[in-house]
Every structure is written in C-alpha cells, then in structure tokens.
Amino acid sequence: MRRQLRSRRAPAFPYGYRYRLDDQDEVNQNYLADEEEEAEEEARVMVVHDLEEEEEEEEKEEEEEEEEEGQGQPTSNALWQKLQIVNEHLWDPEKRMSLARTGQSWSLILVIYFFFYASLAAVITLCMYTLFLTISPYMPTFTERVKPPGVMIRPFAHSLNFNFNVSEPDTWQHYVISLNGFLQGYNDSLQEEMNVDCPPGQYFIQDGNEDEDKKACQFKRSFLKNCSGLEDPTFGYSTGQPCILLKMNRIVGFRPELGDPVKVSCKVQRGDENDIRSINYYPESASFDLRYYPYYGKLTHVNYTSPLVAMHFTDVVKNQAVPVQCQLKGKGIINDVINDRFVGRVIFTLNIET
Amino acid sequence: MRLKTPEIYSVELSGTEDVGKTDTGDGKEKYRGLKDKRLELKKNHQKEELKKEVDLEDHKLSIKELERKYGTNIVTGLSSTQAAELLARNGPNALTPPKETPEIVKFPQADGAILCWIAYGIQYFNDKSSSLDSVYLGCVLALVVILTGIFAYYQEAKSTNIMASFSKMIPQQALVIRDSEKKTVPAEQLVVGDIVEIKGGDKIPADIRLLSTQGCKVDNSSLTGNLTPSLRTHDNPLEAENPWNKMSTSPVGTATGMVINTGDRTIIGQIASLASGVGHEKTPIAIEIEHFVHIVAGVAVSIGILFFIIAVSMKYYVLDSIIFLIGIIVANVPEGLLATVTVTLSLTAKRMAKKNCLVKNLEAVETLGSTSIICSDKTGTLTQNRMTVAHLWFDNQIFVADTSEDHSNQVFDQSSGTWASLSKIITLCNRAEFRPGQESVPIMKKVVVGDASETALLKFSEVILGDVMEIRKRNRKVAEIPFNSTNKFQLSIHETDDPSDKRFLMVMKGAPERVLEKCSTIMVNGQEQPLDDSTAEAFHTAYMELGGLGERVLGFCHLYLPADKFPETYSFDVDTVNFPTSNLCFVGLLSMIDPPRSTVPDAVTKCRSAGIKVIMVTGDHPITAKAIAKSVGIISANSETVEDIAKRLNIPVEQVSKRDAKAAVVTGMELKDMSPEQLDELLTDYSEIVFARTSPQQKLIIVEGCQRQDAVVAVTGDGVNDSPALKKADIGIAMGIAGSDAAKNAADMVLLDDNFASIVTGVEEGRLIFDNLKKTIAYTLTKNIAELCPFLIYIIAGLPLPIGTITILFIDLGTDIIPSIALAYEKAESDIMNRKPRHKKKDRLVNAPLAIYSYLHIGLMQALGAFVVYFTVYAQEGFRPSALINLRVEWEKDSVNDLEDSYGQEWTQYQRKYLEWTGYTAFFVGIMIQQIADLIIRKTRRNSIFQQGLFRNKVIWVGIASQIIIALILSYGLGSVSALNFTMLRPQYWFVAVPHAILIWVYDEVRKLFIRLYPGSWWDKNMYY
C-alpha cells in the first residue's frame, strides 16, 4: 500500500519531499513486514503531505491538479519529471554530485586540465619564441605583398571627396587643421635638428649593422612652398585653390629606379580635361627625391619622414564635382591594379563652391 | 494442448494438417482476444485497426447466392463491359505500394543562409554600395543545404529503386471466362465476379471462391507461415478450404473459382495494409544522428548567442554581430557530415549487398549492429521450407537420413531386405512427379508436381534409388485409392517388375496408427514376422520418439496379393474395394521434417556469442518448433523448459521453480491470456524462448514486448503473415527467394540468398559501421574547434579574421569529405562479435568523452597549431602578433590605405585584404595538415596505430592524398580567383603545422596507451570514446 502510494505520487513531488520519503524508506526497511509499522509509516507520510500542502498551498494545488489530470495529460507530468532529472543532474545532494561527478572527481579534472592546458601553453610559447628567433625585428622577411607602393593623400578625413564652400570657412577649416597637424613633423626647425641634409639625386644608403640606428634625410615643410601653410595658413582653401599633399606608402628597402625618381601627375579622371586648368606641384620636380630611399624600418629609422608632393589646384572649375586621379609614374611603379585603387594612384573629387 | 498425442503430427496424405486444427472453433476468439488486450494496452487508434477481423462470409454462401451477390454467371462469366465498369470502380487488382517519403535532415545552415540575406538586406538599405559578401555566403549556405538534401535523397532513391525493380515481377496472367469465352488477361484487370480457372503451379491471382476442383490443393504458406497445403472448410477464412487467397500457389490440379475480392481488399492486401499501418520506428542510427545534431546545434547556438551578446556589449554593430553569429554557426556545424554518413552507410550497404544482404533503408545498415533480440520466423527462415525425410524406422531401428540441402550423404544401412521393400513402397505409393524438361537440374532443385510430403518422398527415393519414373514404369500401376481424410491412407496396386512373379503388389502409406491397424505381420530383416505386442510396443516407442522430434510420421506397409486369387487379368475396383485391405505386412516408418538450413546453427551460435538473444516465433506446432529450435541451437542442448524439468523429475509442472528453466516454449493460446507485464517478465526471465502457434498480430505483440525491454529488435520472416511484425521491428529482414512481396515491402533488409547466416554478417557490418561512424564524427568534430576559435579570438582580441566562412566550407565540404568516408573502411579493432550489443540508451554514438576529447583536447591543439601558421604568415609579412591585437577596426576600414605594420611599412586596404586571404589559406593549410594527423589517430580508439597497421586501410591514404591535392589545387590553382579567398601560399608555410600534427599523434598514442594499461581507470572512463 505504502509503496503504491509513493510510486504513484513520487513524480509529482518536489525533490526535497521525495528525498525525505526515501530516507524514511531506508530507515524503516527492516520493518516492512510489520503491519503496524507500515500503518504508522503511512500516517506519517500523510502528515508530511499535509504539511507540505499547507506550506506551499497554491503551488501544491497546482501540482495536485496536474497529478490528478496526469493520467489524461502525461505531458505536464513528463515535463515536471524532466525538470527534476535536470535538476538532479545539476546537483545531486544524495550523492553529493554535480553533473554526475563528485567533488573529488571535479577537482581531479580541474588539475588534469590545468596541466594539460599549461603544457599546451608552454608548447605555444615555445613555438612563438622560435618564430621570433627566425624573424628579424629590423627587416620584414617578405615585402612583396606591400609592394608596389600605395598612395595616400592629406588632408584625409574618412572621405576622398573634398566638398567645401570658399565663403564658408566652416566647410574647409578641418582640412586646414588636419594639414597643419600633419605638417608639424615637417617643421623646418625640427627637421634641421633631427635629420641630416643629404645630397639629392642619389640613394641615402647607410651601411652597417641592421641594429644600428639610421639617420633620416630632411624633408622640410618649406619645400612645399605655397602649400607649406607658412605663407598661406589656409593652404589655399580660402581662395578656392586647395592644396592636397600626396605621400607614397613606406616600404622597407624600396628603391625607385636609379636616376629616375618617382613622379606624380594628376589629371581629371573622367570628363572634361579642362576642368582643371592648372596644377602647381611642390617640390617643383613633382617627384620623390631618391635621397629619401631606402627606408630602413621603424625600429632603426626612427626619425624618417615620408617625402611629400603637394598639388596646388590653382584653377579648377567651381561648383561642380571634378574627379581627379593622381598617379605615380616611374620605373617599377604599378598604377593600374584593378582591385586596388590605391596602388600607385589615388582618386578623389574636388567640389569647390563659391 | 501441448500434451496431445503425436497423432496430430502424423501426416494425412493430402496434407490437411494445419494451424486450424488445434485452434478449432476458436479462430475468431483468438482475434477477439487480441482485440481486448489491445484495449487494455491502450494503443492508439491506428493500431486498433490492425485487429480488424478478416471478414469474409462468401465461403459459406451457396453458388446461387454468390451469383446473385456478384451479379455474375458461373458459366458465361461477366461481360466485358461489366468487367470494365467494375475495374473502373474498384481499381486494378494490385496492391497499393507503400509510399515512402524521404526525410531531409536540415542543418542549421538553412537559417544561416536566411540570416545572411537578411543581413545583406539591412546592409543594402544602409549603404547601397555594400559588398555582396554576405549574399555570396548566403547563397553558398543555401547551396550546401540543397546539395546535401539532394544527395541524401538521391542515395535513398537509389536503394529504393533496387527494391522497385525487385517487386516488378513478370506480369501475372489469369485465365478468365468473360462473355462466355476463355480469355487470358493480366491479373491486374481481374474484377470481382470474374470466373477464373487455375492450373497446377499457378499463383492464385485474387481471393477466389472455389466453384469446382479436380484434385486441386493450395499452398497458403505465405499467408499462414506454414508449409502444409490447406484444403478444408473452416469458420476462419484464413484457414478455410474455400476461398483461396491471392498469392497462394496451387501446386497440383485444376480448379474454377469466382473472384470475390481484388487488390487491397484481398486478405493479403488487408495484411499488407495492416503492415503499412504500423508506424515505422525511428532507426537507432537516426536517433543517434539526431542526438548528435542536437549536441552540435546546442553547442553552436549557445556559443553563437553567447558571442552575439559579447559582441553587442563590446559595441560591435548588431549587423556585424549577426555576421559573427553566422560565422560561429557555420564553423560549428559539420556541413559535410550528412553526406558523409549517407555515403558511409551506402558503402556498407553495397558491401552487404555483395554478401547477399540487400538493404532497402540505408539507416537499417547500422540497426542490425545494435540488434539485441532477433525474432525469427521458423519456416523458410530457419528451415529450408520443404519437407525432407529425416528419419526411418525399420528392423526395429531408427535410421537418420541426411537432411542437408543436397541430400548427398545418405549413410543408413541399405543392405537389409526390409529397406528394399520399404523403398519400393516409397517409390510406388506416390503420386508426385517431376515436371518434365528438368534433366539438367539437380534433383533437390527440380520442380515437383505434388504436395510437400510426396515431394519429399519422391526426391528422397530419386536420390537413393535413381530414376523413380523408370521404376514406376516397370511396376505398372493397376489401381489406386487416393488419400482422403476419412481413410487417412493412400493405396495403390502394381504389377511387379519381376517377370516371373505374377503377383500384384499392394502398397499403402498413411497415418501410422491407421496403417498398423491394417497389418497383421511386420517385416524384420526382410522376413515377415507376426505382429505381436512387443513389436507393436517397439512401433509405438519409435512413433512417439519421431513424433516428439516434431516430425511428421508416415507408416508404410505392403501386401503381395496371391496370384491364384488375383490373376493378371483381375480387374480392381477401388469403389467397391474388391481386394483385401487388412492383414498387410508392416514394413516401416518414415518421418519427415522441414529441416533447418545447414548454416543456421552456426549463425545462431555466433549471434549468441555476440550477445544477441534469438527468439523463434512461428505459427507452427510447439513440438515441431521446439525440435527445430533445439536443432538450430535456439534452445541450447543443456537447457530445459519448465515442462522438461517436470518430466525429468516426474512432478507436476506447477511445482517446478521457474528459475531453473532457461528455455520456454509459449503458444499463441498462452500468449493470448498474458498481460503485457507477464510478457515482459517472460521475455526477461528466459534466455531461450520459442513462440509457437502465433498469429500475425501476436507476432506484433511479441515484437512490442521486446521493444519495451529497450531492446533493438530484428524480425526475420518470409510470409505475408510476418509483414506487420517486420514493419514494427526496428529492422525487418525478409527472405529474398522464399519471401513474399508483402514481406519484402515491409522489411528494411532482404536476404537475397535466404541465408540466415547473412544476418551475422549484417550484425558485424552494423557494429563496424557504428564504431567507424564514431571515428568519423570524432574526426569531423575536431576541426570545428579549430574553425570556431578564430571567430572567438577575432571578436575578443580584434585580430584580423584568421579564417573566412567560405574557407571553412572548403574544409568541411572539400578536404575533409574523402578522409571521413575513408574511416568507414577501417577494420574492427577487436573481435566485435564477442561483445554485447550496444545499449540503445547508454552507448551513444556521440558521448561526452568523444565530444570533450574532440573539442577540448585535439580540437584545441589543432586550433593552436593553425594559429601558429597564421601568426607566422603575418609576422613574416610585417605584422607581429603584438601589432595584430585590436587591429581589427583599422584593418577592416576601407578608407585606411596607409595602415602601419610593425616595421613602419604602410599597407593599402587591398594589400591587407590579400594578406588576410593569405592568412585564411595559411590557417586552412594548418588545419588540413593537422587533420591528417587527426585522421590517422582516429583509425583506432583503443589500440595503437601500429597495432592496427598504418597501411592496412589503403583508403585512408587515398583520403590523405585527396586532402593534400585539394588543398594544393585551392591554393595554387584557384589562388587567383578572388571570390574564393585563397592565395598562393609560400611552400614553407605548408610545413609549419607539421610538428603540431606529430604532437597530436603522440598525445593520442599516449592516451591510448594509458587506456590499454589501466582499463576501467578514471582515464579509461573519461578518455575512451
């Protein structure tokens, strides 16, 4: 009778309750044959049941209901059982196990995994260490991915469209600030102090060990003349004759063809050639002098300043977008890669309103 | 019932012995009882319908009533227009083939594809020029889903086609009377009311009501599962003489009948639809795969969502986070696995087909491996499905005849004079004949016109004596009394072949006790002796013994008619019986049985040692069933039933402790009275069980009972009556030669050679495929971590993406496919036939150790190895690892075209992109190289690779070669196709991961070593998958 009662009710009871029952069960197992004992046991079960009911009346009632209807709708019962199983799986107080493992087992696992992962980490450290042994900190192992050089312009603020209104300084002020900031490193005083004045027209080759510090050639701001911002602090933006600086991406060890410095030339990319009637280049050669090459890398060539070419668009059609393409020209320079619109060339639009 | 005298096993010459006899009068009750039990079981409505009684009353109607009922005329038949009308109304006389709908397993990438397109849609609205990357990805994912679906469907369809060709047999023709003319029409066009003529050997085209017959008998074995032709009137149409059922064959005689049911409405059709009404259980492997998909999907989705939340809280755009989510899911889902599993299964199916096991349902390939109970039909499956002479008794001695398939080895003493007389009776008192034109066919394979017992005797004598027809010619038959059920004997009178002997020889065979009644003398050692009590006692002992073996016993006697009373010209009249039929000379007994196939005992033993319980379920008589069960080892030699113990100890059956008995023979009657709980108890308590006298429905109950024990149940059978059970079973195995179409349709597997031993092969292959699938899945899961880690690192540490989604797909569906299939060719590590079948719920395909070891051990090592390759590439190109951290945002900005690396060099966006692809390729190569090591270690789970043999499985090396070749093609051949995101990798990068691959191998060898050294240890429990 008692067994029946329990087995019928058990699935619907919350865990703790069943646990208590189980306990009693074990204790009283020896008296199972004893009728009196059994009756008493039954009574006790009922008492516990009542208590439970009082304590969690609402919940209990619901469960009771569920149980009553359990025959008709086994789904709710099954769900409850499932939850209980999950709960028991997470933490089984009887066997003091969580996720079917005891504390001892868990600690053993933690220790083993700790050592396993520690040794894996050691292996990786070793690998990375060997990797760094084989790599020079001064010269990259391979440079052909970054060759041929890319091109970038200044001022640059996320966009290659230069839209401004001459009469509204707000529309071009940020270009001026950007250029000023960019050119701080090219200030004549700074260049004279840090860098050497090396002979133009030839490579500035510095022999010696890799790890020796290398000297850098001066590229003074004043080389940019009208676009230096020294004479016209607005870089021509206030007059609708904007200056745009062009710089070639640094590549360690890159040397232009001897005697043939890389030149810059700009023209209208699409549309009327005459939309740009004149461009002034500074330095006037419109080229990057050979003395700025080769580059020896960030670590040793600390003060290296990239050479620049300034394009002064002195006469551009106003109030209309003019697409401009500036290309590098020279031996060994590639400027027509389809996928990469910044290798050897740069395309931007000028839209100057008056 | 079981205690009835052997009388019932003795044969009536025309073979009227049948299921019905012992169940006389309760045929309907039997079904009703079942119905009640069904109600108790509270089974669903569909199954309830199974119990629909076979409702045929037509055999009780008179011919006139029939004519009225069906609007036909037995002389003129139907008119053509009537027939056409009925055909249009009732449909053709053919069984509706069961519809098969393939299930296409959907992996979560379907959702991935949709997410991709949604992502693109949002992107497009934000910025019209956004890249089409996510569209490509979406398309690729959709394509993968569709392709794998098509592939699985194609594989299924292919194996279904084999079956289709199977069932397309030569169109059956029927001779029918229409418009008063005899016409031959295809059996499909028969309609109710048609009058058909049946010749010996024809298949009965539909359910017919016999109108007239000339010595015609019918073999209903495919319906009742029994061999004996039935020709009797009975309340139950299944067992009644009339009508005859479609599919039955008529071995002898001719008959005319009226079609009363066609197509699905025939009894056979009803059983077939009963079978198709039984829901097919999910195969164990399907459950396992589902379980696996749940695990994988669970891991993928939870990691995906976790990182989605992380990404969102790290202030990534929601759109980007969605793309990450997709990436994580794609990395986590083994896209190629569905195709791999399908191919693996079909490879095994092919291998099994070579061994004459045709697998209809691919998933069934594995089911046999997990089978823990085989419920085998007796007739035709365990036995040869033909009566064969098993024992002879003459000269007070029992002789054993060879019952093997070819009868080649008859060793009994043939020198006695009694044998000479006996052989003469056997030869002469027999109406069976070989069909002409079979000279080149071996005797045992020749087609015989005659019933089963006579066929057995004919072949027996042909083998021993040579040309029987010639002997019969020399001993011309002058008179004959054919068998009838009142006489229970057959008698014929012949001239002797000795020209000097003018006497006639009268030979008689029949039910032994009837024959003995007619005898006054008995022949011993060629001499006639008076039949006294002691010889009669000997006869009875022999008779009981042979009957106890479950054999059908025939008695033989003869009498030389004195020449003076019966001169040569004497005219015998069989109607008035103007010759003596008593005081004959008893010569001997001969017993026949449907003998077990010679391969069965061995196969049963093998099943036993493989932990598979073999249960016999037959419609046959318990004693015959038990005898066969003993002879094939289903009841082993030293085990006893309760009854056996009772008999041995001479105590009543009730007093025997059930614990002592290992074996049990249960009849359908007893089963009928059992509650499901009692059946469960029975199935668990006894290891050797024989169910006899069972109906198709009871077979179903037995199978369900076994399934309640969490057993994977295989059912073998050949008859239509087996088909519901075949369908209900986890795997139904039908006999290819003897099996009926209904059985083959219901089955998942067909044994083309009817050889039970093929099942053992199937079990072996099934277990092997389970083990190998484990290896395949472990192999496939491993690299998922290596594919997943990059995304996680990318999101958290902001490295440029180490591997792209498309590249991952190239691993999953490119380099990894052939190797994972190659694992299917792996040989077993140990004797898989000596272990217990796996427990359906405990021994999962993908268990915790497998997932943990693959994900957290090897997978992680792989990921680290691949990262080393990735870092090497970046570092050598200029980006040291320290520079990569949190570089992601700048790296991915299209407008940044002068990104500085560790050396101060500046990179344009495209240059970076190209480097990123190089990184993908490097990571890909890193994974690929380590997957080679993974493939090698997965060859074994416990043994060392060197124990297993590195080169024994050549396909593994094909797989490795394919991996390398595909990778080479992708990198060097397609490196210039930018959409694929592969680049030409410097040769040295291919070798960076090699040390890691070796490390993986070594680590796994160490793991296996500890497992072998300390079986049962913590290590074994947690590291053995």
Side-chain angles (χ1 to χ4, degrees), chain A residues 101 113 117 136 146 250 340, chain B residues 857 900 903-904 906 908 1022:
Chain A
R101 285 185 196 281
Y113 273 85
Y117 288 139
S136 152
V146 73
R250 284 193 296 267
D340 195 345
Chain B
H857 293 229
E900 229 179 86
Y903 296 91
E906 291 165 318
T908 67
N1022 287 280

Side-chain angles (χ1 to χ4, degrees), chain A residues 267-277 317 320-325 347-349:
Chain A
K267 59 173 194 256
V268 176
Q269 193 213 4
R270 260 177 291 122
D272 192 352
E273 290 272 332
N274 295 325
D275 283 352
I276 301 174
R277 279 184 284 275
V317 169
Q320 123 183 27
V322 181
V324 186
Q325 172 168 270
I347 296 158
F348 52 89
T349 49

Side-chain angles (χ1 to χ4, degrees), chain A residues 223-282:
Chain A
F223 293 175
L224 301 175
K225 309 266 168 58
N226 286 343
C227 284
S228 65
L230 299 174
E231 285 130 47
D232 176 7
T234 63
F235 297 92
Y237 284 85
S238 56
T239 55
Q241 296 172 314
C243 276
I244 288 170
L245 307 183
L246 188 143
K247 93 184 158 57
M248 195 162 79
N249 281 354
R250 284 193 296 267
I251 293 161
V252 175
F254 173 76
R255 297 179 199 184
E257 196 70 22
L258 197 61
D260 182 17
V262 178
K263 279 207 166 71
V264 177
S265 96
C266 297
K267 59 173 194 256
V268 176
Q269 193 213 4
R270 260 177 291 122
D272 192 352
E273 290 272 332
N274 295 325
D275 283 352
I276 301 174
R277 279 184 284 275
S278 84
I279 308 171
N280 293 336
Y281 296 96
Y282 309 106

Side-chain angles (χ1 to χ4, degrees), chain A residues 101 109 112-113 117 135-137 140-142 144-146 148 154 156 247 249-250 252 298 339-340 342, chain B residues 852 856-857 860 875-877 895 897-898 900 903-906 908 910-911 914 986 988 996 1018 1022:
Chain A
R101 285 185 196 281
I109 283 178
I112 284 180
Y113 273 85
Y117 288 139
I135 290 174
S136 152
T141 320
F142 304 111
E144 60 262 47
R145 284 276 172 273
V146 73
R154 290 289 185 272
F156 177 72
K247 93 184 158 57
N249 281 354
R250 284 193 296 267
V252 175
K298 193 154 102 176
N339 288 323
D340 195 345
F342 292 90
Chain B
I852 289 171
L856 297 183
H857 293 229
L860 216 68
Q876 295 207 332
E877 293 289 349
S895 55
N897 280 288
D898 50 357
E900 229 179 86
Y903 296 91
Q905 305 184 101
E906 291 165 318
T908 67
Y910 186 78
Q911 285 167 339
Y914 196 80
R986 284 171 205 284
Q988 62 265 39
H996 297 271
W1018 181 92
N1022 287 280

Side-chain angles (χ1 to χ4, degrees), chain B residues 589-605:
Chain B
L589 290 172
L590 197 146
S591 69
M592 284 170 294
I593 197 163
D594 179 13
R597 292 167 187 275
S598 52
T599 49
V600 170
D602 194 34
V604 170
T605 319

Side-chain angles (χ1 to χ4, degrees), chain B residues 138-443:
Chain B
C139 292
V140 170
L141 290 178
L143 203 70
V144 168
V145 176
I146 293 165
L147 281 184
T148 46
I150 290 175
F151 184 75
Y153 181 80
Y154 166 74
Q155 285 290 353
E156 284 286 334
K158 216 166 67 177
S159 54
T160 317
N161 278 345
I162 303 172
M163 255 341 271
S165 63
F166 224 99
S167 55
K168 248 181 220 150
M169 286 189 289
I170 316 126
Q172 215 185 325
Q173 300 287 322
L175 192 63
V176 58
I177 301 174
R178 280 187 190 164
D179 303 330
S180 313
E181 278 175 59
K182 282 187 187 179
K183 285 180 189 166
T184 306
V185 298
E188 282 191 3
Q189 291 181 11
L190 284 185
V191 293
V192 171
D194 266 337
I195 309 297
V196 288
E197 285 192 10
I198 317 274
K199 294 187 299 294
D202 278 356
K203 250 189 185 171
I204 316 289
D207 277 4
I208 60 169
R209 158 71 154 88
L210 273 194
L211 301 170
S212 64
T213 161
Q214 280 117 35
C216 197
K217 287 172 256 172
V218 66
D219 175 8
N220 257 348
S221 69
S222 92
L223 202 57
T224 59
N226 276 342
L227 198 59
T228 329
S230 86
L231 188 67
R232 53 175 29 245
T233 311
H234 198 284
D235 273 352
N236 187 321
L238 271 177
E239 286 145 18
E241 164 194 351
N242 224 338
W244 288 352
N245 303 308
K246 178 178 166 75
M247 299 286 293
S248 305
T249 49
S250 148
V252 284
T254 59
T256 317
M258 180 195 294
V259 176
I260 49 172
N261 273 316
T262 58
D264 288 335
R265 286 171 302 280
T266 57
I267 288 184
I268 219 110
Q270 283 174 18
I271 293 185
S273 61
L274 189 139
S276 61
V278 176
H280 213 16
E281 302 283 310
K282 253 191 195 148
T283 57
I285 196 70
I287 293 168
E288 291 304 320
I289 298 276
E290 199 171 278
H291 176 236
F292 162 71
V293 169
H294 283 162
I295 290 178
V296 167
V299 170
V301 170
S302 46
I303 294 183
I305 289 175
L306 179 71
F307 276 84
F308 180 77
I309 294 165
I310 290 176
V312 170
S313 55
M314 281 174 76
K315 306 251 157 54
Y316 282 98
Y317 292 116
V318 174
L319 201 68
D320 284 344
S321 307
I322 290 175
I323 305 263
F324 299 157
L325 183 69
I326 294 164
I328 287 169
I329 289 174
V330 169
N332 243 315
V333 172
E335 283 85 2
L337 201 77
L338 180 62
T340 312
V341 169
T342 318
V343 171
T344 308
L345 290 177
S346 56
L347 279 175
T348 308
K350 248 184 210 165
R351 202 154 46 190
M352 285 166 83
K354 265 189 210 151
K355 293 173 183 168
N356 287 321
C357 279
L358 184 74
V359 182
K360 274 172 64 189
N361 174 6
L362 272 189
E363 287 166 0
V365 169
E366 189 277 330
T367 315
L368 209 47
S370 32
T371 296
S372 47
I373 296 181
I374 297 177
C375 290
S376 180
D377 180 41
K378 181 181 78 73
T379 317
T381 312
L382 299 174
T383 65
Q384 301 171 16
N385 198 12
R386 73 170 161 232
M387 276 292 160
T388 307
V389 175
H391 292 95
L392 303 102
W393 179 80
F394 57 86
D395 294 348
N396 278 329
Q397 249 182 305
I398 291 177
F399 298 93
V400 182
D402 180 20
T403 54
S404 68
E405 272 85 344
D406 56 0
H407 272 241
S408 53
N409 198 17
Q410 301 290 3
V411 287
F412 63 91
D413 179 23
Q414 296 174 8
S415 59
S416 161
T418 318
W419 165 244
S421 304
L422 184 59
S423 63
K424 190 162 267 179
I425 307 169
I426 294 169
T427 318
L428 297 178
C429 189
N430 192 334
R431 294 177 57 181
E433 284 174 22
F434 289 113
R435 255 202 206 156
Q438 299 188 83
E439 283 72 25
S440 56
V441 184
I443 295 167

Side-chain angles (χ1 to χ4, degrees), chain B residues 629-643:
Chain B
K630 281 214 155 163
S631 67
V632 297
I634 286 178
I635 294 179
S636 45
N638 52 0
S639 57
E640 294 175 306
T641 62
V642 175
E643 290 79 9

